[in-house]
């Protein structure tokens, strides 16, 4: 691997901290010419020294470059005679440092300005600010909260480096320091365990780590030392006028700005510091939902959400508001003209490859052909395509895909936007529309007269998507951006979920992957890994973390091994070293399933087994259903480990992986169906929701399940299979038994939501009158929604609990008591009390939880690790986004809901739960719930 590629692997981290390290460099002799910067004539023979310390000063492919090098050329050119990078000498830091201390007319950069060094040099700067960090091996589990925790550790440092003084000033005993003149030696010692920690700038440390170990993330940062400022350090004999002229030229470069308001200094920093450079670029995209599109005046979508997370991770002061939507052809034209432009979401092709720089891929989608159902078009193979006029956005990948499949150019009709092409399809100007499957459906829902009048008749291809950069954007920025995408994908939050997983789940949901290896191969890999750990645990963990075969299949990277200890800390992971050393006890997948706890429980109980969950695919980029095989073993070090590997599920039968909404839905599925409709109504508004609820082929008609809606006076708002009744008042309507069921439905909704039994005609069975169980919720004070199942089971635990007045009143009373306490004691005191496991408001499995209206956790006594985290994206196994439902209920005063959550009295087992939530004030709300299985066991015992 070239130095350039290695450097790009770590440069992202420089962004986070704005690192600049004390460097000693090689010297270059030059005779400074005179210049009248501040009225002073500068004349001196100076020799410049620097060291290998990217991104500040480093040699790449025989050329010296970096922030300090570029600044040196610019400053000396402004003074009057440019010092070229070829004249600067690259030497080890210690050599440069000692040389400039002792030899006249010498300059060292980049050097940290410290009180201990103040009188040893003359100074010009600052160049930039940076911190040193302490690296540790990922599998060591070392935690450093303060310098007091450093006692006893062996810490590797470079001789004469500023980190030495920083550590000594922090009270570290000099005997703890292991000093070397070569940083690569320290990397080797940390990797072998000869030292415990290594003090170095993070960006450069990542770079050197990748060179030595093959992976820039072999080590993790466990502590950050105080920030320092880097300078050009002149030997004491250099004249004050020379140093002053240098300083004034540097200050001028910082102040001079071009027509766009960017200084020469910032432009130089922007070449190497992504947080600065990426903020100077133009960001363009096209209208292509759900990846990038305009909604309510804002640019949004999957790629925009990922872009914002990249900005946040790197520290770029930009947002989605800085993204501009243009026709794709215009975007390509702009990006080809060296305009510092980023364009997305783009498919990578051989023709496009040399025209841009590429970062990604970040997701994948299918390209398809849509046709009106009424046309009865059938496409058996690509040979059939030339019979039809096919529409595609101008300059889009669809044109190239069609051409590659033999479609004549004369058969392709180009439009500027998806909306234009859909209109052409509706008007018969084209026969087929080539677009993304999701993008096409989104456009139909948005502008089609009948969104369900079209069908996919052929799948053209499946492709990955990228961000592309105009060729004038420095490679360092592109590489930083790409690594930031990997961080968005791989870095897990406090809940054990990455930003990428949340974005994909929110926009695309979960897919089923084509299996490329067998479950037997998974078992074989686990057994092979287990045997190796039993023989030599530490060496096996090292090889797994390095991604070596057989622990990561070289031909199919989706087959890899990972290992937990008995505390559910990852000790080795062949696909994502960033999770090594992190504890995942109580953490979940993006659907809310604590699958790792299930692995631990199964391993300790049975030794081996399988667990299903949702996870990222390392090759196909999106979220997929996965099944993992685990095995408990004892390593050569005498410790117990759980060895795992998994396969992505084929999902030939969708009911294998999602609760079935079939003809005979359960009460649990009924409740989930209504709660999802409740959320939809709040997110999309009444008008759009009623339109969808009344659509017989829409999202809220599934077998016997369909959503009905009434206003609180009994007027029918939604009834998809009896549209003639819409707008009529049914307040006094009774069933065959004389039950005023409309009034009962409205009363149940007003009481916080609940179940109602009555007789009603089943539209799926020729409108035969049957027993019906409906569940209703109040959307707001003016209307309700509900759904029902026919011939419901006689005995259902969820219905029994949901209709028990004692249980309902008890929950409302408990929450009311907590609200009174909060109003009396104040918010902070109440939250503190609610979080106490032995407090007044924790009664076994019954406890108060608290959130703000963004979904941020304020109180959760049995899961304190989640305090302060955003849980608004969680869904239970039935797809209920329960935190959002609770927020909407609380905002309108309060109400009941059902969902699945973890029972603290039963080892955090996922169980059905009924909760009641209520608003405290405009900043937060409370809830409490009862676990249904627990109530059933109590009832059975009595």
């Amino acid at each position: 691997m070239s130095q350039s590629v290695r450097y790009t692997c770590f440069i992202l981290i420089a962004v986070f901290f704005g690192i600049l390290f004390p460097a000693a460099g090689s010297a270059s002799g030059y005779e400074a010419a005179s210049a009248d910067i501040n009225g002073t004539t500068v004349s001196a023979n100076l020799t410049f020294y620097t060291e290998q310390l990217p991104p500040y000063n480093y040699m790449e492919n025989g050329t010296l470059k970096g922030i300090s090098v570029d600044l040196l050329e610019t400053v000396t050119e402004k003074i009057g005679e440019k010092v070229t990078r070829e004249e600067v000498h690259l030497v080890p830091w210690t050599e440069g440092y000692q040389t400039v201390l002792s030899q006249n007319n010498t300059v060292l950069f980049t050097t940290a300005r410290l009180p201990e060094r103040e009188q040893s040099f003359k100074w010009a700067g600052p160049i930039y600010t940076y911190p040193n960090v302490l690296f540790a091996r990922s599998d060591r589990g070392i935690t450093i909260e303060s310098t007091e925790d450093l006692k006893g550790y062996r810490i590797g440092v470079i001789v004469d480096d500023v980190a030495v003084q920083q550590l000594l000033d922090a009270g570290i005993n000099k005997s703890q320091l292991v000093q070397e003149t070569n940083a690569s030696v320290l990397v080797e010692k940390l990797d072998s365990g000869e030292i415990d920690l290594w003090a170095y700038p993070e960006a450069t440390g990542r770079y050197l780590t990748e060179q030595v170990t093959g992976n820039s993330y072999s080590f993790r940062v466990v502590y950050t030392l105080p920030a320092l400022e880097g300078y050009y350090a002149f030997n004491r004999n250099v004249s004050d006028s020379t140093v002053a002229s240098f300083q004034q030229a540097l200050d001028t470069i910082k102040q001079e700005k071009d027509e766009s308001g960017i200084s020469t200094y910032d432009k130089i920093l922007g070449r190497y510091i992504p947080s600065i450079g990426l903020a100077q670029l133009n960001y363009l995209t096209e209208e292509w939902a759900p990846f990038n599109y305009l909604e309510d005046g804002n640019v949004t979508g999957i790629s925009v959400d990922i872009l914002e997370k990249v900005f946040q991770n790197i520290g770029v002061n930009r947002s989605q508001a800085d993204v501009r939507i243009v026709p794709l052809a215009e975007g390509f034209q702009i990006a080809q003209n060296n305009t510092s432009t980023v364009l997305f979401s783009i498919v990578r092709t051989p023709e496009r490859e040399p025209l841009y720089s590429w970062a990604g891929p970040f997701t994948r989608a299918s390209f398809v052909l849509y046709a009106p159902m009424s046309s009865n078009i059938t496409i058996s193979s690509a040979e059939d395509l030339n019979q039809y006029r096919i529409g595609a956005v101008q300059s889009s990948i669809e044109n190239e895909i069609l051409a590659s499949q033999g479609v004549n150019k004369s058969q392709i009709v180009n439009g500027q936007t998806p909306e234009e092409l859909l209109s052409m399809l509706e008007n018969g100007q084209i026969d087929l529309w080539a677009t993304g499957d999701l993008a096409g459906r989104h456009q139909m829902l948005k502008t089609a007269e009948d969104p369900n009048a079209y069908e996919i008749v052929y799948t053209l291809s499946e492709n990955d998507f990228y961000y592309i950069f105009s060729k004038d954007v420095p490679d360092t920025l592109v590489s930083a951006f790409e690594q930031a995408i990997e961080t968005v994908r791989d870095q897990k939050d406090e809940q054990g979920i990455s930003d990428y997983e949340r974005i994909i789940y929110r926009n695309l949901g979960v897919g089923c992957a084509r299996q490329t290896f067998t479950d037997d191969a998974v078992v074989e890999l686990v057994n092979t890994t287990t045997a190796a750990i039993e023989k030599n645990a530490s060496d096996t963990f090292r090889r797994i973390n390095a991604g070596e075969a057989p622990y990561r299949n070289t031909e199919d990277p989706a087959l890899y091994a990972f290992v937990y200890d008995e505390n559910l800390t990852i000790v080795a992971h062949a696909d994502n070293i960033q999770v090594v050393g992190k504890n995942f006890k109580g953490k979940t997948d993006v659907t809310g399933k604590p699958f790792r706890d299930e692995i631990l429980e199964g391993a300790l109980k049975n030794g081996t087994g399988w667990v299903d969950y949702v996870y990222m695919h390392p090759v196909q980029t999106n979220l997929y259903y996965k099944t993992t095989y685990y095995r408990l073993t004892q390593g050569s070090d005498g410790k117990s480990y759980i060895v795992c590997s998994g396969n992505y599920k084929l999902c030939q039968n969708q009911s294998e992986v999602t609760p079935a909404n079939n003809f005979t839905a359960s009460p649990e599925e009924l409740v989930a169906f209504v709660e999802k409709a409740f959320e939809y109504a709040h997110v999309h508004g009444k008008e759009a929701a009623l339109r969808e609820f009344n659509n017989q082929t829409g999202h809220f008609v599934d077998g016997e399940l369909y959503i009905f809606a009434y206003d609180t006076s009994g007027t029918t708002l939604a009834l998809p299979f009896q549209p003639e009744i819409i707008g009529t008042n049914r307040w006094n309507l009774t069933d065959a038994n004389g039950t005023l069921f409309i009034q009962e439905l409205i009363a149940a909704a007003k009481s916080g939501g609940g179940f109602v039994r009555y007789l009603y005609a089943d539209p799926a069975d020729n409108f035969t009158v049957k027993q019906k169980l409906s569940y209703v919720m109040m959307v707001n004070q003016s209307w309700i929604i509900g759904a029902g199942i026919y011939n419901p089971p006689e005995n259902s635990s969820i219905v029994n609990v949901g209709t028990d007045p004692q249980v309902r009143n008890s929950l409302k009373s408990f929450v009311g008591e907590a609200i009174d306490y909060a109003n009396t004691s104040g918010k902070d005191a109440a939250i503190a009390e609610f979080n106490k496991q032995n407090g007044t408001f924790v009664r076994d499995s019954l406890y108060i939880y608290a959130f703000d209206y963004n979904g941020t956790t304020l109180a959760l006594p049995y899961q304190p690790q989640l305090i302060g985290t955003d849980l608004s994206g969680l869904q239970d196994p039935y797809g209920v986004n329960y935190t959002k439902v609770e927020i909407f209920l609380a905002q309108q005063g309060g109400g009941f809901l059902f969902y699945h959550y973890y029972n603290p009295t039963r080892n955090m087992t996922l169980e059905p739960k009924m909760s009641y939530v209520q608003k405290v004030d405009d900043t937060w709300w409370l809830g409490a719930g009862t676990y249904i299985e627990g109530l059933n066991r109590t009832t059975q015992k009595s």
Side-chain angles (χ1 to χ4, degrees), residues 288 365-371 379 385 390-393 396-399 401-402 405 421 425 432-442 444 454-463 465:
W288 205 67
S366 295
F367 287 92
V368 300
L369 294 175
Y370 277 102
I379 307 294
L385 298 179
I390 306 175
V393 171
S396 68
I397 188 61
E398 289 92 324
N399 291 270
I401 295 173
L402 291 169
Q405 299 200 17
L421 287 162
L425 188 65
L432 300 169
W433 176 23
T435 183
D437 54 350
L438 298 169
R441 180 62 181 165
H442 183 274
M444 291 169 189
Y454 306 91
E455 62 180 339
I456 294 173
V457 295
Y458 191 70
T459 298
L460 295 165
S461 65
E462 191 174 17
N463 298 83
F465 292 92

Side-chain angles (χ1 to χ4, degrees), residues 13-291:
I13 307 303
V15 182
F16 299 144
F17 303 104
I19 302 171
L20 188 62
F21 200 61
S26 285
S28 101
Y30 93 91
E31 201 170 278
S34 63
D36 192 16
I37 296 295
N38 56 3
T40 302
T41 300
V42 178
S43 179
N45 294 321
L46 298 179
T47 303
F48 287 83
Y49 292 84
T50 192
E51 67 163 333
Q52 180 79 0
L53 197 77
Y56 313 105
N57 13 264
Y58 62 101
M59 187 73 72
E60 181 180 275
N61 299 326
T63 300
L64 190 65
K65 56 175 58 177
I67 296 169
S68 305
V69 177
D70 289 7
L71 274 176
L72 177 67
E73 283 193 333
T74 307
V75 166
T76 54
E77 184 175 28
K78 184 168 287 291
I79 290 174
E81 183 173 327
K82 180 178 181 179
V83 176
T84 67
R85 60 196 65 225
E86 290 76 19
E87 297 173 278
V88 179
H89 298 288
L90 188 72
V91 297
W93 166 255
T94 303
E95 178 183 335
Y97 187 81
Q98 295 299 329
T99 298
V100 176
L101 273 177
S102 58
Q103 293 186 14
N104 293 339
N105 297 327
T106 54
V107 185
L108 174 66
F109 66 91
T110 304
T111 310
R113 188 171 184 174
L114 303 174
E116 297 81 359
R117 293 175 174 174
E118 186 65 32
Q119 301 307 315
S120 299
F121 304 98
K122 294 181 179 179
W123 305 88
I127 301 170
Y128 206 60
T129 302
Y130 71 94
N132 283 316
V133 301
L134 295 177
F135 291 101
R137 252 176 39 181
S138 296
D139 60 352
R140 285 290 305 277
I142 294 176
T143 301
I144 307 296
E145 299 291 342
S146 68
T147 52
E148 289 294 317
D149 299 330
L150 294 174
K151 293 178 181 177
Y153 289 117
R154 299 161 298 173
I155 306 173
V157 292
I158 295 294
V159 175
D160 290 326
D161 184 62
V162 64
V164 175
Q165 191 61 51
Q166 282 188 298
L167 292 168
L168 293 176
D169 290 344
I172 303 304
N173 193 303
K174 191 173 184 179
S175 62
Q176 292 178 242
L177 303 182
V178 178
Q179 302 193 43
E180 297 285 349
T181 58
N182 188 326
S184 295
V185 173
L186 292 173
V187 176
E188 293 172 352
K189 288 189 172 184
L190 185 62
D191 193 43
S192 66
E194 293 180 61
I195 58 176
D196 307 301
L197 301 168
W198 169 38
Y200 218 59
E202 183 172 5
T204 313
R206 296 284 185 208
Y207 169 80
L208 294 173
T209 299
E210 198 279 335
Q211 285 186 311
V212 175
T213 70
N215 191 320
S216 60
Y217 280 91
S218 292
F219 310 134
R220 62 188 178 93
V221 173
V222 296
Y223 192 71
T224 301
L225 294 166
L228 303 163
E229 289 185 325
Y231 280 73
Y232 295 94
F234 294 75
N235 178 272
R236 292 294 301 171
N237 89 307
V238 176
S239 70
D240 290 343
S241 62
T242 297
V243 177
S245 295
F246 194 100
Q247 180 68 61
Q248 186 164 348
L250 177 58
D251 292 340
T252 301
I253 289 167
K254 290 182 178 182
Q255 295 164 5
E256 289 177 338
K257 295 183 179 180
D258 63 13
E259 63 280 358
S260 61
I262 301 174
S263 70
T264 304
Y265 173 75
D266 284 333
K267 286 182 180 178
I268 291 173
L269 292 183
R271 296 170 196 162
Y272 302 97
I273 304 296
S275 60
I276 296 173
L278 290 172
Q280 299 170 3
L281 305 183
N282 305 307
Y283 293 88
L284 303 178
T285 190
E286 64 165 330
E287 180 78 20
W288 205 67
F291 301 96

Side-chain angles (χ1 to χ4, degrees), residues 505 590-593 679 873-882 902:
Y505 188 63
V590 72
T591 72
K593 182 175 183 177
E679 180 193 357
L874 283 186
Q875 292 187 353
D876 79 350
Y878 284 90
V880 175
N881 197 328
Y882 49 87
Y902 312 104

Side-chain angles (χ1 to χ4, degrees), residues 305 499 501-509 590 623 873 884:
D305 289 350
D499 288 327
E501 289 173 296
R502 295 188 188 281
I503 291 168
I504 295 299
Y505 188 63
R506 183 169 62 247
N507 289 278
L508 294 183
V590 72
L623 285 171
K884 284 189 177 178

Side-chain angles (χ1 to χ4, degrees), residues 413-427 429-430 433 443 447:
V413 179
N414 281 150
Q416 291 297 316
T417 65
E419 183 176 2
E420 179 185 350
L421 287 162
L422 177 57
S423 177
M424 293 169 70
L425 188 65
E426 287 184 318
N427 297 328
Q429 296 170 270
I430 56 176
W433 176 23
Q443 189 63 51
T447 62

Side-chain angles (χ1 to χ4, degrees), residues 37 115 152 321 361 409 427 488 568 624 760 778 808 857:
I37 296 295
K409 192 173 183 179
N427 297 328
V488 172
L568 281 183
Y624 297 94
Y760 200 77
M778 197 87 175
R808 292 168 66 90
T857 316

